[in-house]
Amino acid sequence: MALQDLCHLQEVFPDTDCSPFGTRTGYYDDGFPASSRSPLFNFFIPAAEFLQESPLQFGQVSSAFTSQDHLLSSLSWPPGLPQDSPQPVPLPFPMSHGTTTLAFLFQGGVLAAADTRSSCSGLVACPSSQKVLPIHSHLVGTTSGTSADCALWKRILARELRLYQLRHGRRLSTGGAAKLMSHMLHPFKGSELCVAATLCGWDASGPSLFYVCSDGTRLQGALFSVGSGSPYAYSILDQGVRWDLTLQEATSIAREAVYRATHRDAWSGNCVDVFHVSSAGWRRRGREDLREEYYRERDRQGGEDLREEYYRERDRRGGGGPEGGVLQREGQTRGGGPETE
Amino acid sequence: MEKHCTNSQVKGVSTGTTILAATFNGGVVICSDSRASMGGEYVSSKTINKVIQVHDRIFCCMAGSLADAQVVIKAAKYNLSFHSVQMENPPLVIAAASVLKELCYHNKDELQAGFITAGWDKKKGPQVYVVSLGGMLVPQLVTIGGSGSTYIYGYVDAKYKPNMSRDECLQFATNALALAMGRDNVSGGVAHLVVVTETGVEHVVVPGNKLPKFHDE
């Protein structure tokens, strides 16, 4: 498909008049910005060949959909809505959406971080999955939701961005990529597809960060955290993130936020990946095991359970009565007799 | 976003709140936000005080259904004053917590309220106890509760140290409340903080515009 596009394309320059397209109605030309006759959702949907049937039908794709004829008929298909909505096919196993991913802007570009645990029905399916996926040299996406869906849609997005770059001679901006992804996901709204991604990129206007979700949300912002562990990460991020952080400080805040979230959230854990996107492209920091971080923190705090020490100290000071655990003391006091002080 | 975030609404009668209690060297800080909301959409009061005094040096914070909590606290106050008359001594903090626990446990089918009890007594000094929804009583050094607490677990885990000074602890509590109020839509208003030490009780109110500001403000 890509090769056909290249061979047939003479109108690669974006400021060419679009009238030649009028003669090529049968052909599958995608959203050139000058194309005024295409309504909003005739925008190119790369998975269109599968959408003759409702997206709610899981995995039922006819092999006849690879020929040109079906591409033509898919153009006239009213976009945006599944034609028929049968009762949804039950999923083969319950999907889980547990993760902690975060991304924020700072003076050095965009920082993205995520844990590496893939969970499924209460067990850890993979302790070393990669949730921050590079899309092209200056764009990185964090994934949250169903891992399979995220991996697929990231690849589709990468393909479309590459095609755009080949056709137009320039890269699509981060905002454009976010819009493209959002429109590609729109036909699947209402189905079990779950993709919540943040796109972190550096384009001609500098660093930018977008949140795109399969329920249709598309937001631009300076800080996002997505996933079941995100509430736990937010407090660390809110109090630490500033524009003028150095790369070192930003990395340590991102790592700590993921670490705290993995400490509290059952579906996040194992290791942390940190990516940094700057004008020179994305760079990846080595994956770190958070178990080490836990032990390092315990050692920093004195190497023993501080709570035990505190209670021991307090019991020693509180005076009276035989020594013993806290529970024993409670039994005594409820008995009521005033103790000699 | 994820479905777990809306759990507090699914339960039905949550006040939507953020409450926190922490021990420091020589006392406790117990604090809360001041917003009462209905259904997560309507703020019925911007300035309620969720920190209730049950005895001279013992305070309670309520989470869950406000109505249930008020009734339980009223009964607890009565029980506690009676108990202290009998004992001819100020009640222990654990006594207050136990009274609440008994009420919560024996009426667990009807009630939907959890409490944080904190205070100072002569025997054990500053203490914090948590009575959860079903009636479990647990002593802790620092504890958070309410719908806004999910957003500050990370902060509390990272920043709380036992035996801080009074001012450090106040700053820690104010920051935590401000962070939670910044992310949780059903927590907000002013921050009510109560500092209980051997020498007395101090009520600090931090109005909304004096709360610490973070990166997005």
Side-chain angles (χ1 to χ4, degrees), chain A residues 136-192:
Chain A
H136 61 64
S137 63
H138 284 72
L139 181 63
V140 138
T142 68
T143 63
S144 168
T146 315
S147 322
D149 290 333
C150 287
L152 174 69
W153 281 98
K154 280 284 156 61
R155 291 193 65 186
I156 292 178
L157 182 67
R159 180 189 72 182
E160 291 314 313
L161 292 182
R162 179 69 178 141
L163 286 176
Y164 185 94
Q165 183 183 5
L166 290 170
R167 287 177 190 139
H168 298 260
R170 64 181 179 88
R171 223 182 257 136
L172 194 54
S173 65
T174 318
K179 204 169 219 182
L180 177 62
M181 184 139 185
S182 177
H183 287 191
M184 288 199 291
L185 290 173
H186 182 84
F188 297 91
K189 187 170 165 147
S191 68
E192 296 279 348

Side-chain angles (χ1 to χ4, degrees), chain A residues 97 223 227 231-232 234-236 238-239 241 256 260 263-264 310-311 314 318 329-330 333-334 336 339, chain B residues 2 87 92 94 98 123-124 126-127 139-141 150-155 157-158 163 179 183 214-215:
Chain A
H97 308 157
L223 182 146
Y232 309 112
Y234 266 125
S235 54
I236 302 291
D238 281 343
Q239 55 95 32
V241 168
E256 167 134 42
R260 296 288 165 202
H263 183 59
R264 285 286 175 180
Y310 179 77
Y311 282 120
R314 202 183 64 185
R329 261 177 197 274
E330 285 170 15
T333 57
R334 216 172 291 134
E339 304 207 42
Chain B
E2 304 295 339
M87 295 300 133
L92 300 173
I94 190 166
S98 300
K123 182 162 179 192
K124 282 192 178 174
Q127 299 146 76
Q140 294 199 312
L141 288 180
T150 45
Y151 302 104
I152 47 174
Y153 270 107
Y155 181 76
D157 282 343
N163 284 328
L179 286 169
R183 286 289 176 185
F214 298 102
H215 70 102

